[in-house]
Amino acid sequence: MAAETRTDETDFGEVSRLKDRVFESVTLAAALFGIVTLAVLLVYVTVDAVGWLDWQFLTSPPHPLAEEAGIFPALVGSIVLMVLIALVTFPLGVGAAIYLEEYASDGRLTRFIQLNIANLAGVPSVVYGLLGLGLFVQLLSFGYGTLLVAAFTVSLLILPIVIIAAQEAIRSVPDSLRQASYGMGATKRQTIRNVVLPRSLPGIMTGTILALGRAIGETAPLIMIGVPTTVFGVPNGLFAKFSAMPMQIYTWSSYPDTAFQYGVVSAGVVTLLVVLLSINSIAILIRNKYQTERS
Amino acid sequence: MTQDMTTSDPDESDGTTASTSPDPGGFSEARTQTTQEGTSTAPTVVESRDLAVYYGDEQALQPTTMEIPEKQVTAIIGPSGCGKSTFLRSINRMNDLIDVARVEGELRFRGKNVYDEDVDPVALRRRIGMVFQKPNPFPKSIRENVAYGLNVQGKEVTDEAVETALRRAALWEEVEGKLDSSGLDLSGGQQQRLCIARAIAPDPEVILMDEPASALDPVATSQIEDLIEELARDYTVVIVTHNMQQAARISDKTAVFLTGGELVEFGETNRIFENPEHQRVEDYITGKFG
Amino acid sequence: MSDATAPDLSRRSGQNTREFAYRAVFFVCALLSILTTLAIVLTLLGDALTFFAEVSPIAFLTGTTWSPANDPVSFGVLPLITGTLVITFGAAAIALPVGLLTAIYLAEYASDRVRSVLKPAIEVLAGVPTVVYGYFALVYVTPALSVVFPTISTFNALSASIIVGIMIIPMVSSISEDAMSSVPDSLREASYGLGATRFTVSTSVVVPASISGIASSYILALSRAIGETMAVTIAAGNTPRLVDLTDPAGVFLNSIQTMTAAMVQLGASDVTGQSLAYRSLFAVGLTLFVITFLMNLISEWVASRYREEYR
């Protein structure tokens, strides 16, 4: 009863693909929407920065006159801050990841810690600013807007990201390597030090550096802990006041003067993005080197 | 390796790989087979002519020529990786979904090469249904699962159509009254019969089955086997299986693929199992190989 | 001695203690995350409670005027909450559909090569510092919008919403795509085998099967929009006002103030450690923290459902 009634035995006909084609175009347009918008904005800001982003800008302190304004103290402040954050988050993040991946049993406490880390990664950065203000500035009296407070505050902010990245790297170490180490009579500590960490280090480094990229752009926590809007010199100690590039950009963007709005700030934004791009390139280089070594 | 070669004399396999004598041009719908057996009179529905399939640089199917008769069960057996699923999936062009897959030769459905430029694989699949290895009901209700194909193909969905399909798939009595519960709540065997109901609801001409019982227990397997014999009254069934007893039990014709994607022997099931022409096929059937 | 040949299998002295010490150090590192959460809660709660001793929580949550620093002071958080909702709504209108369609393109249509380029490119959207986005909204997006809407203010909710929407697209697209990729291919094959087109497979099989992953990504993205600070502070301005729902153009074309922007304004001003304004900062912070924390928990819970669906 199936075949006999058919009339178009060899002509299969064609199913309309109109919806399919329209839908594919719509989804492709959606996928490109954000990228294209960002690309256009980046072109604008780069064009605006031409003529403003020069050696004088990179090496001068801020100045009320747009022509003489520079980003030097903020640039140095950001880099010093980033190094401090790396020193705090790397050992803590790797330590936590080692515990969760190598030691912890899959119990309730572990799952609670895991859920908590995931949730911390979603807490707004301005709330971390309040934590820094209440804990480091008020309670521990490390001083308003000092380098140390900023380093601690932003470290807590990116720590969940570092832990999650380090966990993924450690998890990707094949179990057979651990077994081989234990089989030769190594202790857990020796296995971690000689097998797990060397093997996962590139992955951990990549994740940490990408997290530092996020740290260097953070602004809201710095405002909350009282980082000053304008600083003329580079920090000379952990308890020194300092400035950072995003703080400087925020300050400048509120100047009504168009020379600032479309010139100095553009130069600052491009500087920040170039530093960010360099950081991420380093992370990608490490990852690529590591991938080719493995294959 | 070299010892095996004695049983696969290229001349020998070339002469009998196919049960068809080349007949260029003359494809009428009711063309009967001219096999060595000369017993079958059923018209050919699906016919491959030197059909070869590549995945990238790797050849998954050697040039295969074979005719599949209408309203019979044709079994394709062979060890894993022998290209039997590849052959099955090239019939309704499911291989199109794999980026690196490439096809040479012809696959004719009612005389029309389905790899011709003007053939729409989507339209083709609406006439050739498919049942897969693992039961894969959608995470929807039983009713929605059966109605899915009708919806997709723009056919009217009636309670009657759903009931008919479920009855034909021998599932109606077990699910009557709970058509709105999830298809995933059924047992493995029931899920597979639901998938069969889903495949036959839009009333295709051919049903391709890719090891439909391999994930099921013996009881569910025997239910599916009964069902397949039943379905062959109305449909042409092509079934891939690695279970030789199953092929012997339910099929009218059997094709044996062996390692390397080569169709070694094709013919009446009884003849293949009782008196295979090739030593390699006999070794495989008796368990000496594969 | 008779057992001179028996192997010495006893533990070496000190090894146990050393192994335990390492374990303890790593455990403390992991525990730090819980301490951080605890510290956030205690810090916020400490000053928020002293604040609520002077301003009743009901007055805080239902008051319609936010004026923490200027006389007469008033601590009604509703204008800030509605301001936040406006931005969140506007950003959602962009990011939810665009992110979902992006995920469908990546999971169902894109070839492997296109996907390997497009995916990291979309992730870049989430990597640009928010202060940069705020600047973009202020000096490029708003002037562009003024061509269409001549009455638009320098600081306005529309440009901020658009830019926040773009910034959270990757959150929606990457989590949704993960969910879609975890839909087993066997379901797609079942659909293709019945003669479905890619459009039908995407909309009738893939999207319904990954709906909890999509929902999870939506909640997370909204939570991110609610907590977004610098872009809205720079672009949407600092005008705390209760939005008038009967006038949508007025809502989006004028300046508003979100909870986060109000916090930045207070944080950047010279409020002293003992003033009520300083403490109100923590009350707003607590409100924000509770909202986003709950949303993150719900998102996590919804996401765990789709992980269960397909083992």
Side-chain angles (χ1 to χ4, degrees):
Chain A
M1 73 153 263
E4 285 85 336
T5 52
R6 294 185 197 266
T7 51
D8 53 344
E9 293 276 303
T10 56
D11 178 18
F12 304 131
E14 205 170 320
V15 176
S16 166
R17 297 299 163 76
L18 185 65
K19 267 194 226 161
D20 203 23
R21 297 232 173 80
V22 171
F23 190 61
E24 178 171 10
S25 314
V26 170
T27 55
L28 176 61
L32 294 176
F33 169 72
I35 301 173
V36 170
T37 313
L38 181 63
V40 169
L41 292 170
L42 289 178
V43 168
Y44 270 110
V45 76
T46 310
V47 169
D48 282 346
V50 170
W52 291 95
L53 180 54
D54 52 15
W55 189 245
Q56 176 273 330
F57 176 79
L58 291 175
T59 53
S60 305
H63 196 281
L65 283 175
E67 287 73 20
E68 305 202 2
I71 202 169
F72 183 67
L75 179 60
V76 174
S78 276
I79 290 171
V80 173
L81 178 64
M82 198 175 68
V83 171
L84 286 177
I85 292 168
L87 291 176
V88 176
T89 53
F90 188 77
L92 289 178
V94 174
I98 289 176
Y99 176 77
L100 290 169
E101 290 300 316
E102 300 291 324
Y103 285 95
S105 53
D106 191 24
R108 211 174 272 177
L109 177 67
T110 313
R111 259 178 291 153
F112 180 67
I113 294 177
Q114 204 70 73
L115 178 68
N116 185 59
I117 290 171
N119 266 312
L120 278 179
V123 171
S125 60
V126 67
V127 171
Y128 280 98
L130 281 186
L131 170 66
L133 177 63
L135 185 64
F136 301 124
V137 176
Q138 298 288 342
L139 198 65
L140 302 175
S141 303
F142 288 167
Y144 269 105
T146 59
L147 199 48
L148 190 69
V149 172
F152 281 161
T153 305
V154 182
S155 290
L156 288 181
L157 167 64
I158 66 161
L159 199 51
I161 311 172
V162 175
I163 296 175
I164 292 168
Q167 275 186 279
E168 270 166 23
I170 291 174
R171 215 176 295 145
S172 72
V173 176
D175 231 14
S176 59
L177 292 182
R178 293 186 185 87
Q179 310 280 355
S181 173
Y182 287 132
M184 290 188 298
T187 64
K188 188 153 217 157
R189 177 179 58 89
Q190 287 167 328
T191 304
I192 290 168
R193 209 177 61 188
N194 299 329
V195 175
V196 176
L197 278 186
R199 178 87 183 196
S200 54
L201 200 60
I204 296 174
M205 297 272 284
T206 307
T208 309
I209 295 172
L210 289 176
L212 289 176
R214 160 113 194 252
I216 204 170
E218 281 299 342
T219 321
L222 304 185
I223 299 175
M224 302 313 289
I225 58 171
V227 170
T229 50
T230 307
V231 169
F232 297 97
V234 297
N236 56 8
L238 286 179
F239 291 96
K241 299 232 175 195
F242 76 108
S243 182
M245 283 188 286
M247 276 305 290
Q248 193 63 61
I249 291 170
Y250 170 58
T251 310
W252 278 334
S253 70
S254 63
Y255 289 11
D257 183 0
T258 51
F260 269 99
Q261 288 229 320
Y262 289 94
V264 177
V265 191
S266 304
V269 165
V270 172
T271 312
L272 174 61
L273 291 179
V274 167
V275 172
L276 190 58
L277 197 68
S278 322
I279 295 170
N280 290 350
S281 307
I282 293 170
I284 289 164
L285 279 180
I286 292 177
R287 182 162 60 194
N288 288 352
K289 186 164 181 293
Y290 151 83
Q291 273 170 349
T292 46
E293 270 172 16
R294 288 282 179 271
S295 57
Chain B
M1 189 68 216
T2 33
Q3 292 102 303
D4 287 342
M5 289 299 284
T6 54
T7 59
S8 61
D9 182 342
D11 283 338
E12 195 184 33
S13 45
D14 267 354
T16 45
T17 292
S19 53
T20 147
S21 53
D23 179 19
F27 294 106
S28 66
E29 284 147 28
R31 180 168 164 265
T32 52
Q33 273 183 272
T34 54
T35 59
Q36 286 108 319
E37 288 88 12
T39 50
S40 173
T41 53
T44 297
V45 181
V46 173
E47 174 181 24
S48 71
R49 313 196 104 215
D50 295 324
L51 182 78
V53 180
Y54 300 81
Y55 294 135
D57 295 332
E58 197 186 331
Q59 184 161 16
L61 187 70
Q62 303 284 338
T64 300
T65 302
M66 181 167 138
E67 290 178 358
I68 292 166
E70 185 166 39
K71 294 187 185 174
Q72 292 193 5
V73 178
T74 301
I76 301 175
I77 62 173
S80 36
C82 70
K84 52 191 195 301
S85 284
T86 301
F87 177 76
L88 191 77
R89 283 162 175 261
S90 62
I91 296 177
N92 66 344
R93 291 187 59 174
M94 284 299 273
N95 282 332
D96 285 23
L97 301 175
I98 301 165
D99 284 344
V100 294
R102 189 162 52 82
V103 172
E104 284 174 7
E106 292 185 350
L107 190 291
R108 293 175 177 271
F109 173 57
R110 299 206 178 277
K112 170 78 176 168
N113 180 14
V114 303
Y115 288 97
D116 276 351
E117 280 289 304
D118 62 336
V119 172
D120 178 2
V122 169
L124 173 72
R125 291 181 200 134
R126 295 185 175 189
R127 295 176 66 173
I128 304 181
M130 189 157 192
V131 176
F132 299 84
Q133 187 166 0
K134 257 177 63 184
N136 55 357
F138 298 121
K140 300 169 188 272
S141 74
I142 293 170
R143 187 198 309 277
E144 286 168 319
N145 264 286
V146 179
Y148 184 87
L150 296 169
N151 274 324
V152 162
Q153 302 186 15
K155 294 178 177 165
E156 196 190 354
V157 179
T158 59
D159 287 351
E160 201 189 340
V162 171
E163 182 179 337
T164 308
L166 284 168
R167 276 193 193 280
R168 281 187 168 180
L171 188 61
W172 174 252
E173 273 151 36
E174 290 157 69
V175 298
E176 187 185 0
K178 54 170 183 176
L179 291 180
D180 292 314
S181 60
S182 169
L184 293 171
D185 293 341
L186 299 173
S187 73
Q190 289 173 326
Q191 287 190 6
Q192 193 61 299
R193 277 179 281 144
L194 175 62
C195 293
I196 293 173
R198 182 176 63 189
I200 60 181
D203 204 21
E205 291 156 67
V206 179
I207 300 171
L208 309 176
M209 296 189 168
D210 191 357
E211 307 201 26
S214 67
L216 305 180
D217 63 58
V219 176
T221 300
S222 108
Q223 284 174 321
I224 298 280
E225 287 180 7
D226 292 346
L227 174 58
I228 290 168
E229 293 190 273
E230 193 65 32
L231 288 174
R233 291 165 189 246
D234 295 320
Y235 303 100
T236 304
V237 178
V238 187
I239 176 171
V240 162
T241 176
H242 62 251
N243 180 337
M244 281 173 281
Q245 286 72 35
Q246 187 171 67
R249 275 195 298 267
I250 62 173
S251 70
D252 303 295
K253 293 222 165 200
T254 297
V256 185
F257 282 76
L258 292 180
T259 321
E262 181 191 358
L263 171 62
V264 181
E265 198 163 335
F266 176 56
E268 297 291 330
T269 299
N270 292 340
R271 214 255 314 135
I272 295 273
F273 279 92
E274 281 158 21
N275 186 21
E277 285 172 16
H278 290 72
Q279 188 61 42
R280 287 163 74 200
V281 172
E282 187 172 341
D283 287 350
Y284 174 66
I285 288 169
T286 53
K288 285 184 194 155
F289 163 74
Chain C
M1 278 191 283
S2 59
D3 56 357
T5 53
D8 178 14
L9 294 178
S10 60
R11 289 201 169 83
R12 277 178 221 147
S13 61
Q15 186 153 302
N16 252 1
T17 347
R18 221 178 314 148
E19 289 289 321
F20 182 78
Y22 273 88
R23 188 195 164 95
V25 168
F26 294 138
F27 178 65
V28 169
C29 292
L31 208 59
L32 194 65
S33 73
I34 291 183
L35 294 180
T36 306
T37 308
L38 219 59
I40 291 175
V41 173
L42 291 179
T43 309
L44 294 179
L45 220 50
D47 279 299
L49 284 181
T50 29
F51 171 79
F52 286 128
E54 287 184 51
V55 178
S56 89
I58 295 171
F60 175 71
L61 289 173
T62 58
T64 55
T65 309
W66 179 257
S67 172
N70 301 327
D71 280 328
V73 292
S74 170
F75 296 98
V77 80
L78 273 186
L80 305 181
I81 289 182
T82 54
T84 300
L85 286 180
V86 167
I87 297 291
T88 308
F89 181 82
I94 289 177
L96 304 194
V98 170
L100 177 61
L101 290 170
T102 302
I104 294 174
Y105 182 78
L106 291 175
E108 303 300 314
Y109 283 97
S111 68
D112 287 349
R113 253 187 54 212
V114 170
R115 183 170 37 234
S116 69
V117 175
L118 214 49
K119 255 185 92 161
I122 291 168
E123 292 300 324
V124 168
L125 294 178
V128 174
T130 59
V131 65
V132 172
Y133 272 121
Y135 168 72
F136 284 164
L138 180 67
V139 304
Y140 299 123
V141 179
T142 296
L145 289 172
S146 69
V147 177
V148 189
F149 308 105
T151 59
I152 199 165
S153 315
T154 311
F155 301 103
N156 61 83
L158 186 58
S159 66
S161 306
I162 293 173
I163 216 77
V164 173
I166 289 174
M167 163 186 337
I168 62 176
I169 287 173
M171 292 216 101
V172 177
S173 67
S174 72
I175 299 174
S176 294
E177 196 222 329
D178 279 351
M180 290 178 195
S181 303
S182 72
V183 172
D185 270 344
S186 65
L187 291 186
R188 289 186 183 85
E189 287 188 334
S191 184
Y192 282 122
L194 286 163
T197 61
R198 214 170 270 269
F199 167 75
T200 314
V201 172
S202 309
T203 52
S204 76
V205 175
V206 177
V207 169
S210 46
I211 198 75
S212 38
I214 296 168
S216 159
S217 80
Y218 277 10
I219 300 168
L220 213 57
L222 292 182
S223 159
R224 174 79 198 276
I226 290 173
E228 169 42 41
T229 308
M230 292 319 294
V232 293
T233 305
I234 295 173
N238 285 307
T239 314
R241 64 184 171 96
L242 256 186
V243 297
D244 176 7
L245 290 176
T246 57
D247 177 22
V251 168
F252 276 100
L253 297 182
N254 292 306
S255 171
I256 49 130
Q257 189 173 44
T258 63
M259 288 190 278
T260 50
M263 290 166 71
V264 167
Q265 192 185 26
L266 277 171
S269 67
D270 298 325
V271 292
T272 63
Q274 300 311 316
S275 71
L276 200 54
Y278 172 84
R279 290 186 178 130
S280 74
L281 185 55
F282 288 82
V284 178
L286 183 66
T287 315
L288 180 68
F289 176 75
V290 168
I291 294 173
T292 53
F293 203 77
L294 282 179
M295 290 181 76
N296 294 347
L297 276 180
I298 294 170
S299 163
E300 185 74 23
W301 176 75
V302 173
S304 67
R305 294 189 43 165
Y306 90 76
R307 283 186 212 119
E308 275 165 24
E309 265 165 47
Y310 305 107
R311 20 202 172 268

